[in-house]
Amino acid sequence: MLTVVAYGLAIVVVALVAFIGLRFLLAPEAAAAGYGVPATPGVYVTVKGQRDFVLALIGGALLAFSDADAVGWYMLAGAIIPLTDTLIVLRNGGSRATAFGIHFATAVVLLVDAALLFSL
């Protein structure tokens, strides 16, 4: 049962990261509003979309062709992104609810999934 939960959570995380990446590429203003800071003219939304989508592809490849430890390390290292996103939102006038309710909570989910995967 633990294996199903650990891998199921990893699959959900990878799918959501792919969705977020595509949303930043296809609807950047709405995606930026959901991120917690307004979209400004420039390339950051495209860079973020491309980064997230490629990270999802890497996560999918690890899920398909690797073991639980490799996916656990992916989740552990990946937790750095939402942790820094929390700081970015807070330092740029975004709401604390978005910073902690979305970004910090995502980091916690990634850390919990990493722990589950390492325990397999």
Side-chain angles (χ1 to χ4, degrees):
M1 180 65 172
L2 183 60
T3 301
V4 173
V5 171
Y7 275 105
L9 187 55
I11 290 167
V12 168
V13 166
V14 167
L16 286 173
V17 172
F19 170 76
I20 291 167
L22 288 174
R23 189 170 182 220
F24 266 93
L25 292 171
L26 301 174
E29 291 82 15
Y35 178 85
V37 294
T40 55
V43 297
Y44 104 85
V45 292
T46 304
V47 170
K48 179 163 176 23
Q50 176 270 343
R51 173 195 78 175
D52 288 347
F53 191 72
V54 170
L55 285 171
L57 292 176
I58 293 167
L62 286 170
L63 281 165
F65 303 110
S66 187
D67 63 5
D69 281 344
V71 180
W73 282 109
Y74 169 81
M75 294 293 167
L76 184 62
I80 295 168
I81 294 170
L83 287 172
T84 57
D85 287 348
T86 301
L87 296 174
I88 291 167
V89 171
L90 291 173
R91 294 173 99 188
N92 288 282
S95 77
R96 292 174 58 87
T98 300
F100 291 107
I102 296 173
H103 301 293
F104 190 79
T106 299
V108 169
V109 169
L110 291 172
L111 294 171
V112 167
D113 196 34
L116 291 172
L117 288 160
F118 287 138
S119 72
L120 298 179

